[in-house]
Amino acid sequence: MDIERVNENTIKLFITYRDIEDRGYTREEIWYNRAKGEELFWDMIGEINTEEYFDLDGPIWIHVNASEQGLEVIVTRANVNDGDPGALFSSFEEHEAAIGQKEPFNPFEDDDVLNYEGIKNMSIYKFKDIDEIVPVANRLVDYGLNSSLYKYENDYYVAIDFTGINDSATRQNIRSILDEYLTSSKMTIYRLKEYGTAIMEEDCFETIVHYFD
């Protein structure tokens, strides 16, 4: 996925159909299955919601353009100042003039915030042989991570939930260990749950250490 900063509050994303398929989706699902389209959107949002780009802590607008090569998604964060009731309207006018979008979309309402938090904190790693995850489990079991193991087609996938790991240095250390042994995957947890085979739905690292150590 290509990411381009347009200005302080706007990010332009471009994702090819091949990249979409690598994440476990099809063109038909994206256009005709709303739930799948939302999963892909939150997956993409999870990649840009970092300090390097901007934190999505309020309403945003989205504008999607389709082409033969893929999808262009423009994401604009509303510039709302506390105590200024006209700020949201002004920001909306500026955005409307820029890309013609008419309706605001707020991802932090009702159940969407829970779906977003789950995606933001979830990382998926892929490997071929079950023996490859044994040293990973031995090194990460003491962190108390929520982890699950799936098989999809000819590969294994471990899903790791970083919820509760708030220290950035600790997160980076965990990711360094994972990258040393496994391959980061763009597959989503939704795809694994729906089409994959659940081998260990919880306590993956603890179970592996118990049986393989």
Side-chain angles (χ1 to χ4, degrees), residues 92-184:
F92 179 40
E93 282 187 320
E94 293 173 1
H95 182 269
E96 185 181 58
I99 62 172
Q101 185 72 358
K102 299 282 185 188
E103 295 294 333
F105 172 73
N106 187 348
F108 296 94
E109 291 181 345
D110 303 325
D111 293 337
D112 283 338
V113 67
L114 300 178
N115 294 334
Y116 173 75
E117 290 299 326
I119 292 177
K120 182 178 72 172
N121 290 307
M122 186 71 66
S123 292
I124 311 292
Y125 285 80
K126 179 173 69 173
F127 54 101
K128 286 289 186 183
D129 193 295
I130 197 70
D131 290 339
E132 295 177 62
I133 200 173
V134 175
V136 179
N138 282 319
R139 295 182 63 179
L140 296 183
V141 66
D142 291 337
Y143 286 97
L145 296 161
N146 293 322
S147 56
S148 51
L149 182 65
Y150 295 85
K151 187 169 186 180
Y152 177 71
E153 296 182 346
N154 296 319
D155 295 304
Y156 291 98
Y157 294 84
V158 59
I160 300 134
D161 186 352
F162 280 83
T163 301
I165 308 296
N166 299 316
D167 180 67
S168 59
T170 301
R171 283 195 175 212
Q172 183 57 46
N173 185 52
I174 293 171
R175 293 188 187 280
S176 296
I177 294 171
L178 290 163
D179 290 336
E180 182 179 347
Y181 295 93
L182 311 177
T183 302
S184 179

Side-chain angles (χ1 to χ4, degrees), residues 1-4 12-27 30-31 36-37 39-45 47-48 63-74 186 188:
M1 181 175 68
D2 294 328
I3 305 172
E4 175 188 346
K12 182 186 294 185
L13 313 174
F14 182 79
I15 184 170
T16 65
Y17 289 118
R18 180 166 185 174
D19 194 359
I20 289 173
E21 292 172 356
D22 287 343
R23 294 168 186 257
Y25 302 94
T26 65
R27 294 193 192 193
I30 297 306
W31 291 117
K36 295 300 180 184
E39 287 175 18
L40 174 63
F41 172 74
W42 288 119
D43 184 32
M44 295 169 66
I45 288 297
E47 292 187 28
I48 70 168
H63 184 77
V64 180
N65 297 314
S67 69
E68 288 297 321
Q69 291 74 38
L71 302 179
E72 179 186 76
V73 182
I74 301 172
K186 295 176 181 178
T188 67

